[in-house]
Amino acid sequence: LVDFGAAIDADAQHFRYGERAKLLTKLKRYNEALDDLRRAITLRDAEESEEKGDRKPPFKVGDEVRYIGAGDYEGRMGLIYLQLDDNERALAEFVKASVRGREAAIYIWHAAKVLEKMGRYDEAADEWKRAEVALTEEITVFGDRPDLFARRAEFYSEWGKDEASLADYNEALRLSSDDSCILAGRGGLLYKLGRHDAALCDLSAALREDPSNSVALAHRINVFTDLGQYDEAISDIDRALFSKEFDPESLLAAKGLRLGYLGRYREACDQFEQIGLDNLAIAYHHAVAKARSEGWDAARSEIESVRSRLAPLRDGADRAWGLYFSAGLYAVAENVERSE
């Protein structure tokens, strides 16, 4: 950040504000990132209005003329507003980005998802269709690029068109068979389709190509878990704990659950205790693991404490979850009648 500040002080160009905004976003300093993106947009628009001789040439997608790099800052502002749960502003920025940017298809796609989130389903349906057209036109304009087929594959998966998604992933891997990101994408889709063995093959290949591929690692943890290969899942969780791409508390919780599946309840308790028991779900799993490892009498007070914390859930909007967790506690206490 200091170096970016010095570079901006020396020569305040829009791309420097844009690059600093990326770092600020990564640090979750969202308001500062938004300020830098607004400055970047002001400087970029001023440059475009001057019609500089070194301005990058336009290209056409369908009937629309776009300038390379245009729209990116607005799109990134939209993504930040999503993090801030400001759907209206996110949508406004995605619309701006979609009409002028090189990445227009992506931002039409984001707009579709935001509209769905806002309950505006008819408008969302139109945007999904527009995004499909834009993604297909990009492939037509730029040729057989594996990244574009992979992008459309991800889009189809989110739209619920899994067979179309798989076809695009297959084409992307035909063009680039050892691309770790594409292998991870197809592996995730195969996992979603319940094709665990094929998914495991792709995800392991992705990690051989790039051991730091966090998407492949996350999917493989789930695949190993579904296959009942809990030791392998725990090994991958331990590997993920060395990566900055994961939330450590989520990983510790996942490890605790899988240790429980193996009957290693004391070790599971250790994982939950590292997180802390303020979170009700973690407190619940810790109480269950403690009862399994030390017996009902040793865990009695903790289970009663969790049960009292569940009372508002049992009587509120989340009644189903409250009853589910409460049933689990009665099952641990071997009170079969109450559990049922």
Side-chain angles (χ1 to χ4, degrees):
L1 283 174
V2 171
D3 286 348
F4 276 128
I8 288 169
D9 288 341
D11 187 6
Q13 297 190 47
H14 70 82
F15 66 86
R16 288 179 175 158
Y17 280 111
E19 289 301 310
R20 186 169 70 176
K22 287 182 182 177
L23 179 56
L24 289 166
T25 302
K26 187 175 182 180
L27 295 170
K28 298 185 178 180
R29 292 164 61 172
Y30 296 129
N31 289 322
E32 294 172 80
L34 287 169
D35 286 341
D36 268 5
L37 287 169
R38 292 187 189 102
R39 295 186 188 102
I41 288 169
T42 299
L43 290 170
R44 180 206 63 199
D45 290 349
E47 282 188 14
E48 288 188 359
S49 66
E50 291 173 8
E51 293 292 340
K52 289 190 173 181
D54 61 353
R55 183 180 180 186
K56 293 180 180 178
F59 64 93
K60 292 189 72 175
V61 174
D63 294 328
E64 297 179 27
V65 175
R66 300 184 189 141
Y67 287 89
I68 294 174
D72 177 59
Y73 300 141
E74 289 87 349
R76 284 162 54 193
M77 286 180 71
L79 294 173
I80 292 173
Y81 282 128
L82 280 184
Q83 293 294 322
L84 297 173
D85 291 322
D86 191 336
N87 293 324
E88 290 285 356
R89 288 187 177 179
L91 180 60
E93 296 302 329
F94 290 145
V95 169
K96 291 177 191 174
S98 70
V99 299
R100 72 191 309 271
R102 179 176 185 175
E103 302 296 326
I106 288 179
Y107 298 123
I108 298 170
W109 175 6
H110 281 305
K113 291 191 286 186
V114 174
L115 286 164
E116 278 194 351
K117 190 176 178 182
M118 296 168 71
R120 293 161 61 178
Y121 300 113
D122 290 342
E123 295 171 80
D126 290 339
E127 291 301 288
W128 281 110
K129 292 172 185 175
R130 284 187 63 222
E132 180 182 27
V133 170
L135 288 162
T136 302
E137 286 179 342
E138 283 186 345
I139 292 172
T140 301
V141 170
F142 296 109
D144 287 344
R145 280 176 36 187
D147 60 313
L148 295 182
F149 280 102
R151 177 186 294 178
R152 193 172 66 176
E154 183 182 353
F155 163 80
Y156 278 134
S157 179
E158 288 196 8
W159 199 10
K161 297 191 173 186
D162 293 332
E163 291 305 319
S165 175
L166 185 57
D168 270 357
Y169 273 128
N170 290 341
E171 181 62 17
L173 286 169
R174 185 187 68 80
L175 295 167
S176 182
S177 61
D178 58 355
D179 187 298
S180 179
C181 291
I182 300 174
L183 284 164
R186 189 173 72 174
L189 176 64
L190 290 167
Y191 166 64
K192 175 184 173 184
L193 294 172
R195 296 168 57 179
H196 291 79
D197 290 337
L200 189 57
C201 182
D202 271 359
L203 297 170
S204 297
L207 287 165
R208 284 195 296 273
E209 294 296 332
D210 178 9
S212 67
N213 188 322
S214 58
V215 173
L217 192 58
H219 285 313
R220 196 169 73 168
I221 290 168
N222 291 328
V223 173
F224 278 138
T225 300
D226 282 6
L227 291 172
Q229 299 179 27
Y230 302 127
D231 285 316
E232 290 83 354
I234 290 168
S235 178
D236 272 0
I237 291 170
D238 286 337
R239 179 174 172 177
L241 282 165
F242 288 98
S243 169
K244 295 181 180 179
E245 298 298 320
F246 294 90
D247 172 40
E249 289 191 358
S250 297
L251 289 173
L252 290 170
K255 184 176 180 180
L257 290 173
R258 286 151 182 82
L259 286 165
Y261 300 154
L262 290 168
R264 293 159 60 181
Y265 297 115
R266 183 60 258 171
E267 294 172 78
C269 285
D270 291 341
Q271 304 304 311
F272 299 136
E273 287 164 11
Q274 288 186 59
I275 302 169
L277 304 182
D278 291 338
N279 180 289
L280 179 55
I282 298 301
Y284 166 83
H285 289 301
H286 183 271
V288 171
K290 186 172 182 179
R292 299 290 191 201
S293 64
E294 300 177 27
W296 162 251
D297 288 337
R300 183 188 301 273
S301 62
E302 187 171 336
I303 286 177
E304 290 302 328
S305 172
V306 173
R307 185 175 289 139
S308 68
R309 292 170 65 185
L310 284 169
L313 286 182
R314 289 198 300 270
D315 300 328
D318 293 319
R319 187 166 184 266
W321 282 111
L323 289 168
Y324 173 78
F325 284 123
S326 184
L329 293 177
Y330 280 118
V332 170
E334 297 183 351
N335 188 333
V336 176
E337 184 178 349
R338 288 299 301 273
S339 178
E340 291 289 346

